[in-house]
């Protein structure tokens, strides 16, 4: 396994945040195995550069707490159900990565020892040092917090140099580029601009946590083949969120 510094990549340790919906492919629900396999291949291509990678995957392809709450379910219960959905997604990603011979650990904020490890910060850091991909599941372990916030929290705890937010578009726009042809993409935007203009990069808690710790957020298209690896090599199209 090469060292990241010897391969010319821009970051040594990163957090990759993707939504649960990213695993659906063209389906309207659940997991699409070819899509999971494609994303796993993207992760492997970066891992092969010697970059230490941790991940947080949302659960919206299976259950979204806010939607459950909107339909009359108690918010805390709905959020816990959403957390369990993220564990299912994390296990699917682990299986896909290990089929590519990438050692992977799923670490859950809600203890469930039969299927994954409990969250212990120093143990998680050690996994990264051993070049294992670490997938953090079950959010922060608390209701009312999104997986965006969980990704920013864990990235800070792990000493990541940036959060890479994989989306369906190649950066942050002033409005939805799929609806408005004149939408303008930002090459760089500050945390405060994201909050003031409600640009929808991540929720406000995640952005504030990144700002307070000067943690850059790189927004890029997960649908672009080789995009994740390209950005780490200093190429590609993306938006950088940082002061």
């Amino acid at each position: 396994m090469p060292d990241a510094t010897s391969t010319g990549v821009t970051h040594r340790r990163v957090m990759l945040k993707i939504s649960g919906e990213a695993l659906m492919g063209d389906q309207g629900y659940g997991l699409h195995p070819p899509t999971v396999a494609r994303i796993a291949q993207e992760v492997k291509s970066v891992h092969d550069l010697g970059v230490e990678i941790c991940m947080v995957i949302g659960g919206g392809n299976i259950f979204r707490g806010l939607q459950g709450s909107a339909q009359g379910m108690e918010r805390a219960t709905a959020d816990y159900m959403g957390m369990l959905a993220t564990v299912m997604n994390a296990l699917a990603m682990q299986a896909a990565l290990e089929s590519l011979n990438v050692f992977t650990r799923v670490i859950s904020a809600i203890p469930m020892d039969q299927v994954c490890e409990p969250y212990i910060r120093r143990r998680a850091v050690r996994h990264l040092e051993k070049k294992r991909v670490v997938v953090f599941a079950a959010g922060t372990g608390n209701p009312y917090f999104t997986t965006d916030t969980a990704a920013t929290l864990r990235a800070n705890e792990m000493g990541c140099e940036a959060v890479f937010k994989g989306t369906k578009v190649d950066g942050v726009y002033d409005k939805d580029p799929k609806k408005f042809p004149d939408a303008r993409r930002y090459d760089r935007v500050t945390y405060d601009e994201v909050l003031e203009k409600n640009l929808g990069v991540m929720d406000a808690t995640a952005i504030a946590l990144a700002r307070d710790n000067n943690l850059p957020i790189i927004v890029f298209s997960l649908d672009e083949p080789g995009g994740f690896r390209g950005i780490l090599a200093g190429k590609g199209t993306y938006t950088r969120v940082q002061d």
Side-chain angles (χ1 to χ4, degrees):
M1 174 68 66
D3 183 82
T5 56
S6 67
T7 55
V9 297
T10 55
H11 299 81
R12 181 184 59 85
R13 179 181 294 172
V14 300
M15 165 66 73
L16 174 62
K17 169 62 172 69
I18 61 177
S19 67
E21 288 89 340
L23 305 184
M24 292 192 307
D26 294 329
Q27 302 175 155
Y29 176 82
L31 291 159
H32 183 237
T35 299
V36 177
R38 179 184 63 79
I39 295 173
Q41 186 62 58
E42 293 282 329
V43 174
K44 180 183 186 300
S45 71
V46 172
H47 183 261
D48 287 346
L49 295 174
V51 178
E52 298 170 4
I53 304 170
C54 45
M55 299 178 66
V56 168
I57 307 172
N61 57 318
I62 299 172
F63 188 87
R64 184 178 292 278
L66 277 174
Q67 290 179 348
S69 178
Q71 294 172 6
M73 186 179 295
E74 182 194 16
R75 172 65 188 273
T77 298
D79 279 356
Y80 280 122
M81 292 173 67
M83 290 180 218
L84 297 179
T86 72
V87 178
M88 296 171 69
N89 286 337
L91 292 172
M93 183 56 63
Q94 179 185 43
L97 285 167
E98 292 192 336
S99 74
L100 300 172
N101 298 314
V102 177
F103 293 111
T104 307
R105 297 290 184 271
V106 174
I107 297 181
S108 172
I110 299 175
M112 47 187 80
D113 297 345
Q114 288 83 353
V115 295
C116 50
E117 296 182 11
Y119 178 68
I120 299 172
R121 187 184 68 84
R122 292 175 65 92
R123 180 186 292 176
V125 169
R126 185 62 179 146
H127 286 319
L128 291 171
E129 291 171 346
K130 290 183 176 181
K131 306 302 180 183
R132 297 164 181 161
V133 173
V134 175
V135 186
F136 293 109
T140 66
N142 301 287
Y144 300 97
F145 290 94
T146 68
T147 51
D148 281 344
T149 299
T152 308
L153 172 65
R154 297 295 185 231
N156 280 310
E157 289 181 298
M158 294 299 106
C160 292
E161 296 165 8
V163 174
F164 281 72
K165 176 74 181 286
T167 69
K168 293 186 177 296
V169 293
D170 59 355
V172 179
Y173 286 78
D174 59 353
K175 47 191 170 185
D176 189 343
K178 294 185 177 181
K179 296 179 180 178
F180 302 95
D182 62 339
R184 181 173 68 90
R185 187 180 64 80
Y186 297 93
D187 287 325
R188 188 175 181 120
V189 64
T190 68
Y191 305 110
D192 286 341
E193 285 178 309
V194 170
L195 295 172
E196 290 167 6
K197 297 178 181 178
N198 195 27
L199 295 177
V201 177
M202 289 179 161
D203 69 85
T205 303
I207 294 295
L209 185 58
R211 179 192 60 194
D212 293 347
N213 293 277
N214 196 30
L215 177 69
I217 302 169
I218 310 296
V219 183
F220 71 106
S221 173
L222 197 65
D223 292 337
E224 180 68 28
F228 187 25
R229 181 186 176 108
I231 293 169
L232 279 160
K235 305 173 184 177
T237 303
Y238 58 91
T239 298
R240 184 180 185 91
V241 181
Q242 191 175 20
D243 286 336

